[in-house]
Amino acid sequence: MEKIFSFGKILLMGEYAVLHGADALCLPLKTGQELTVTDGPEGKIQWKWKYKDQMLASFSFDAASLEEESNGTANWVVLLMNFIREQNPDFLRQGGKSLEFVNLFPPQWGLGSSSATISSLCRLAGVDPFVVNRQLMGGSGADIACTTAQNWFLYRNGDNGPQTWEIPFNYHFSENTWFVYSGNKMETASHLKSFSSESRYAVSWMQANDFVYRFISVPTLPEAMQITYEHELLIGEAIGKESIANRFRDFPGKVKSLGAWGGDFFMALSLQEPGFVRGYFYNKGYGTVLSWKELTETKYF
């Protein structure tokens, strides 16, 4: 038996701009997804994806041909296996294996189920997960970088390929930062395709770097809130979308989109007490409000 763990992720700043060579601020989480590999029936690959006691997906394939033996709903998995075999043609062709992927967080939260699966399976196969992710999902690869990172970091997908720089100090405002689940799961691959056709490219994407660098080391929370506000304006203008912050004009603080706009989690910064912040979003209909510490340090949700 072999186990491989991949961490979940939050893209704090630099979303969309990172697709054009700018730097992104990435936050790997303690939660994630665990892959357990055991022997299976000869000549077969058994694939299971679970969260707690829920079976989210279950497939069986011929190990050599990858022909599915169930109901033809595993196209994404077959594509993933084929892209891996472009780098390692012998991967799981012989014998039989059972692959069980277990989420430690609700899959609808958008914390990186797909990137965790890609990363874990590529590490099992000994192939480059960034190449496979680019073929299968598109995007910058920042999610893949999070799956093996220990601390928050800067990420760049430039001419020299993916690069990361670990930030050697802790985030300054963890007591004043909240993550709120929007209630809407964003499918990254399809969203990126629509983004590429919708984006107005109205700004220089490298302007986002200024906000990223300032946010990392800003000394006061009011300054951090102003930076997030300006970053939101920049990205909103570039992609032609309205900021989620406009839904919360009466919130005593600042609200920022995270990752793909319109889905998954958004971030709130405020000087208000925890009870006030939670109550504000609960009253707006948002039932999942997590502190920085809760989201970054909890393993099992």
Side-chain angles (χ1 to χ4, degrees):
M1 183 173 68
E2 183 174 357
K3 290 183 178 288
I4 300 174
F5 191 83
S6 291
F7 298 109
K9 53 77 186 178
I10 288 286
L11 184 58
L12 288 172
M13 195 166 280
E15 67 271 17
Y16 298 104
V18 69
L19 297 168
H20 301 274
D23 294 347
L25 182 57
C26 303
L27 179 65
L29 307 175
K30 189 173 183 179
T31 192
Q33 184 189 84
E34 185 173 72
L35 165 61
T36 301
V37 185
T38 56
D39 291 334
E42 182 68 24
K44 306 296 181 185
I45 297 174
Q46 294 180 327
W47 182 292
K48 295 180 180 180
W49 178 32
K50 300 171 66 177
Y51 171 62
K52 294 185 175 179
D53 59 352
Q54 303 174 40
M55 183 65 70
L56 303 173
S58 180
F59 311 112
S60 181
F61 305 91
D62 178 84
S65 68
L66 297 180
E67 182 177 344
E68 188 183 352
E69 297 178 346
S70 51
N71 56 6
T73 59
N75 293 340
W76 187 88
V77 174
V78 173
L79 284 172
L80 171 57
M81 288 292 297
N82 278 323
F83 286 136
I84 288 175
R85 285 184 175 178
E86 287 182 8
Q87 296 184 56
N88 181 356
D90 296 327
F91 180 57
L92 299 186
R93 283 188 183 274
Q94 305 298 321
K97 291 294 180 184
S98 174
L99 308 174
E100 184 176 84
F101 300 84
V102 178
N103 268 41
L104 305 189
F105 60 88
Q108 68 270 20
W109 279 8
L111 298 180
S113 298
S114 297
S115 54
T117 298
I118 294 168
S119 177
S120 293
L121 204 60
C122 286
R123 282 145 62 198
L124 180 66
V127 303
D128 188 336
F130 291 98
V131 172
V132 172
N133 181 74
R134 184 171 62 249
Q135 293 172 305
L136 184 62
M137 303 289 289
S140 68
D143 292 1
I144 296 295
C146 283
T147 62
T148 56
Q150 298 293 324
N151 297 297
W152 66 327
F153 63 94
L154 290 170
Y155 174 85
R156 180 187 304 163
N157 186 21
D159 294 337
N160 297 321
Q163 296 174 279
T164 61
W165 296 270
E166 184 175 316
I167 299 170
F169 50 84
N170 293 329
Y171 176 62
H172 299 317
F173 310 111
S174 58
E175 299 297 320
N176 306 100
T177 302
W178 304 84
F179 297 99
V180 185
Y181 179 55
S182 69
N184 180 35
K185 175 71 177 75
M186 183 65 71
E187 296 297 336
T188 302
S190 58
H191 175 73
L192 288 175
K193 290 179 181 178
S194 65
F195 158 72
S196 63
S197 61
E198 293 176 3
S199 174
R200 298 186 300 174
Y201 303 101
V203 299
S204 168
W205 289 107
M206 293 304 167
Q207 292 180 34
N209 283 354
D210 176 60
F211 301 114
V212 170
Y213 302 150
R214 287 164 54 203
F215 185 79
I216 291 171
S217 57
V218 65
T220 70
L221 183 62
E223 289 175 278
M225 290 192 287
Q226 181 62 26
I227 291 168
T228 61
Y229 170 74
E230 294 173 3
H231 181 278
E232 197 84 344
L233 289 179
L234 178 81
I235 301 300
E237 178 185 357
I239 66 175
K241 290 186 179 296
E242 184 179 19
S243 167
I244 195 171
N246 292 336
R247 302 181 194 174
F248 309 106
R249 296 182 186 275
D250 60 340
F251 178 67
K254 295 297 181 184
V255 173
K256 182 194 176 300
S257 306
L258 297 171
W261 280 30
D264 304 333
F265 279 83
F266 58 89
M267 181 172 71
L269 284 74
S270 179
L271 286 165
Q272 297 295 319
E273 293 296 319
F276 176 90
V277 175
R278 292 186 193 274
Y280 174 89
F281 288 108
Y282 290 162
N283 291 334
K284 295 283 188 179
Y286 297 91
T288 300
V289 183
L290 303 174
S291 69
W292 176 282
K293 183 176 181 179
E294 286 170 332
L295 185 60
T296 60
E297 297 185 13
T298 302
K299 187 170 184 178
Y300 298 93
F301 286 98

